[in-house]
Amino acid sequence: MSTEKTDLAIFTTGNPNNKPIVFVHGFPYDHTMWNKQIDELKSHYYCVTYDIRGLGESPIGDGQYTMESFVDDLEAIINELKLDKPVLCGLSMGGYISLRAVERNESLFGGLILCDTRSASDTNEGKIKRAENIKKINTLGVKHFVSEFVPHCFSVKSITDANEEYSKVLNKSLNSNAIGVKGCLLAMAGRTDTTSYLSKINIPSLLLCGEDDRLTPPDSMELMAGQIPNAQFEIVPGAGHMAPIENASFVTNKIKKFLGRLPL
Ligand code: MLT
């Protein structure tokens, strides 16, 4: 584990003596996607979240990120804040980071919550799509890419109901840095496959997936959950890929109940 002080933007809420939870956001968002969960959990848990390198308020650097360097960053935060066996909660790209972090060093963690994510690495088709998106950012700009990508992350209902949260996420993401976004696309394209580790996971696990998630659909997450010993799987009604935002109360309640069952 790294012992260097991290330069990432870290946000902590609640009493550091309480059980820690680390929230890892998805792409191309920032830590604020967990605001609703943290608001509800902060009185009983020490809630830690951060902006993944290249996104939000974290430094961009050279944009040469890997899934391994993202896990290094997460470990550095755990080390710096001296978190004792935090529960790790990641959505989508945050889920890739979380799964790989647990595979690398499971003894660091007290539990795992995965939202709208997958263990499989990118297929050839997926890698080609990432390359096309990088080309699109180079030719048409990051705003163009983001304005095409974000609508796929929400259920059609969330968008047509003019969900205020949808507009918030879209507007924030439109300001993402092109180097940071391209770096994340490359890191995701180059990540390893963690599927063979699922059956070895030995910490309590909760998996949540929006019923209308078009990027990481419920049937693929249910298959993942089936491979993790004693994992709990929940479908989030009325939500797409951004379940913690689209149906915040359902997700928060499931997380609360899951955390309540963990040993102190
Ligand atoms: C995310 O929400 O983090 C992304 O959709 C993940 C991905 O593009 O694979």
Side-chain angles (χ1 to χ4, degrees), residues 6 28 43 66 71 76 84 95 110 135 155 168 181-182 254 264:
T6 170
S43 51
T66 63
V71 175
D84 181 24
K135 196 168 174 182
S155 73
K168 240 196 257 169
V181 170
K182 289 189 286 182
K254 291 294 171 192
L264 284 174

Side-chain angles (χ1 to χ4, degrees), residues 22 24 50 70-78 88 97-98 101 109:
V22 181
V24 193
Y50 68 101
F70 284 157
V71 175
D72 292 341
D73 281 339
L74 171 63
E75 287 188 354
I77 292 169
I78 293 171
L88 195 50
I97 297 171
S98 302
F109 303 100

Side-chain angles (χ1 to χ4, degrees), residues 167-215:
S167 310
K168 240 196 257 169
V169 169
L170 178 61
N171 291 334
K172 210 156 192 209
S173 306
L174 284 171
N175 291 318
S176 303
N177 180 284
I179 292 174
V181 170
K182 289 189 286 182
C184 289
L185 287 167
L186 283 172
M188 288 192 283
R191 75 189 191 277
T192 56
D193 192 312
T194 50
T195 309
S196 65
Y197 189 68
L198 298 176
S199 62
K200 302 188 185 92
I201 295 179
N202 201 23
I203 50 175
S205 306
L206 167 66
L207 283 78
L208 296 148
C209 188
E211 69 172 339
D212 298 321
D213 186 336
R214 290 169 281 164
L215 300 184

